[in-house]
Amino acid sequence: KLIFTVWLTFHLFCYVVFFKNLKRLEWLYISTSILFPLLFASVPFITGSYGMAGAWCYIPSWRNSCASEDYKDGIIEQYSLYYGPATFFLSANIVAIIIMMVVMVYRVLKSKRETQPLISNRDQKVRVL
């Protein structure tokens, strides 16, 4: 789900900021949104660290269901495969959305400034007649 969100934000960003329609890249969006999560989800199976964990992750941070014994490899995998990328991509999404909002507000204000003199000049001509 996160990769879909990243691609959607990227597509909107290119469209809003650069006026680029990247419709031809839809196959890339879909394929990477399916393959990257499979890659990340397969690493704990390869390293043997997939197992019972908390509600938010599939990699345990303790050994043998005992919370007093830390499992350092599990903690490292949690942050490098789950929390790290999620934090990075969500932060990048937030930055991109803020940039898009600023660009759109700037364009609206710029178009109002450009049309305002036309309206005021037309009103002055009517008053003179």
Side-chain angles (χ1 to χ4, degrees):
K1 293 179 185 178
L2 180 62
I3 302 294
F4 278 115
T5 307
V6 168
W7 281 126
L8 180 65
T9 306
F10 173 76
H11 188 82
L12 289 173
F13 183 81
C14 289
Y15 190 74
V16 168
V17 176
F18 302 114
F19 297 115
K20 297 280 185 184
N21 190 357
L22 301 175
K23 192 173 184 176
R24 64 185 183 277
L25 295 178
E26 287 178 358
W27 66 272
L28 178 70
Y29 300 160
I30 294 170
S31 62
T32 55
S33 296
I34 292 170
L35 294 176
F36 279 159
L38 286 175
L39 176 70
F40 279 95
S42 66
V43 171
F45 286 115
I46 294 168
T47 60
S49 61
Y50 186 84
M52 294 295 293
W56 300 107
C57 196
Y58 50 88
I59 303 168
S61 58
W62 57 82
R63 281 190 201 278
N64 304 325
S65 300
C66 181
S68 63
E69 298 178 31
D70 286 342
Y71 180 52
K72 301 284 186 209
D73 292 338
I75 294 170
I76 291 170
E77 283 185 24
Q78 280 181 2
Y79 283 100
S80 63
L81 295 175
Y82 187 74
Y83 298 115
T87 303
F88 173 76
F89 286 125
L90 289 175
S91 300
N93 278 350
I94 291 170
V95 169
I97 289 170
I98 290 171
I99 291 171
M100 284 188 286
M101 290 173 58
V102 167
V103 166
M104 288 190 304
V105 167
Y106 172 76
R107 287 182 184 155
V108 167
L109 292 176
K110 183 179 173 185
S111 69
K112 281 187 177 182
R113 273 189 249 133
E114 289 174 356
T115 58
Q116 193 65 27
L118 297 175
I119 294 171
S120 63
N121 287 341
R122 186 186 69 197
D123 290 342
Q124 288 175 358
K125 288 180 183 178
V126 169
R127 289 180 189 159
V128 171
L129 290 176

